DNA sequence: TGCTCATTTGCGTCACTATGCAAATGATAC
DNA sequence: GTATCATTTGCATAGTGACGCAAATGAGCA
């Protein structure tokens, strides 16, 4: 973590290291967890573990685990009501995180600094 | 993939299923790949595999593989110059993807529709 | 208290992924 | 052509993660 390949413009890339957290992507790298997130987002209302499990081919315990992982990553919130636990999407947080990533990457290398013929976005 | 837990407002969540691709997160779920992306972003200029490998504790072949995975995911571009391959960040694409995700999630459930006492973003 | 339902956790198994080494491929220089 | 350098690929191994089942925990109710 000491030498950089070419230049050392760490300063211009505002906090990209802090924003691009592996934990966030780790939580979302599983297809089933993405599916759960999408379902929960589409549902809009908080859903219990059982409700979520009804849509999944996997065991309820697995769904519970997946939801917990998403919760620990700050993507979902859990709220206990009676004997049920209702999970819901942390919309604002999630949106803010994604935008912060986009901003950090954009700030990192503004269009003018891009290399010619290298990062063509077809 | 047929029944939804509570409601079925699939229409309001503009293409969240298309935007939240597991493949994207899968590519970024490895800490070493995140580190490579950060380094490459901070570097701004395209870097060869050897240059990138100099900063990593892992074998050069591993770095090559990681870069290929990021390239296949559309996060990096590879450009061959002589016997070297220079990788660079697809800034615009990456930023666009992240913003699209944020937009899709935001559109999915605007603040007014949020459940009271459920998705508090403290 | 005992019972039932919802969720979580322990644990063994299976699949996948990351890793390092060595060999293969591709490209330039001699 | 051969030699050399950069990168990729094949392969074996080790580590990690997902999964299902069963048991444990927690909460309400009779």
């Amino acid at each position: 973590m000491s030498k950089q390949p070419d230049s050392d413009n760490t300063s211009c890339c505002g906090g990209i290291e802090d924003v691009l957290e592996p934990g966030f992507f780790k939580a979302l790298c599983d297809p089933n967890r993405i599916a759960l997130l999408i379902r929960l987002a589409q549902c809009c209302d908080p859903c219990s573990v059982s409700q979520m499990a009804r849509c999944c081919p996997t065991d309820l315990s697995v769904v519970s685990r997946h939801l917990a992982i998403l919760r620990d990553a700050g993507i979902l919130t859990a709220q206990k009501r009676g004997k049920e636990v209702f999970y819901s999407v942390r919309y604002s947080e999630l949106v803010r995180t994604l935008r912060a990533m986009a901003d950090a990457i954009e700030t990192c290398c503004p269009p003018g600094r891009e290399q010619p013929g290298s990062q063509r976005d077809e």
Side-chain angles (χ1 to χ4, degrees), chain A residues 47-68:
Chain A
C47 290
S48 70
V49 180
S50 306
Q51 285 177 320
M52 296 299 292
R54 249 175 263 145
C55 312
C56 296
T58 59
D59 192 75
L60 189 140
S61 67
V62 175
V63 174
S64 171
R65 251 187 274 258
H66 278 317
L67 292 171

Side-chain angles (χ1 to χ4, degrees), chain A residues 69-84:
Chain A
I69 289 172
L70 290 170
R71 165 175 49 78
D72 292 344
I75 294 162
L76 305 181
T77 352
Q79 198 187 358
K80 198 152 195 173
R81 279 209 288 255
K83 39 187 173 180
E84 290 166 295

Side-chain angles (χ1 to χ4, degrees), chain A residues 8-120:
Chain A
D8 64 322
N9 33 10
T10 314
S11 53
C12 80
C13 308
I16 191 177
E17 301 179 88
D18 306 319
V19 180
L20 253 51
E21 277 196 82
F24 176 79
F25 295 102
K26 236 173 159 55
L28 293 172
C29 76
D30 184 80
N32 292 323
R33 282 198 289 271
I34 290 277
L36 284 171
L37 173 61
I38 290 173
R39 182 154 301 285
L40 203 52
Q42 287 177 338
C43 178
C44 283
D45 304 313
C47 290
S48 70
V49 180
S50 306
Q51 285 177 320
M52 296 299 292
R54 249 175 263 145
C55 312
C56 296
T58 59
D59 192 75
L60 189 140
S61 67
V62 175
V63 174
S64 171
R65 251 187 274 258
H66 278 317
L67 292 171
I69 289 172
L70 290 170
R71 165 175 49 78
D72 292 344
I75 294 162
L76 305 181
T77 352
Q79 198 187 358
K80 198 152 195 173
R81 279 209 288 255
K83 39 187 173 180
E84 290 166 295
V85 176
F86 287 85
Y87 284 88
S88 44
V89 180
R90 282 183 137 185
Y91 293 98
S92 328
E93 279 267 336
L94 193 47
V95 169
R96 203 183 312 149
T97 300
L98 289 167
R99 295 233 166 95
M101 289 179 184
D103 291 346
I105 291 164
E106 196 175 51
T107 308
C108 204
C109 232
R113 287 226 42 189
E114 294 189 4
Q115 297 301 309
S118 56
Q119 47 254 354
R120 285 271 165 275

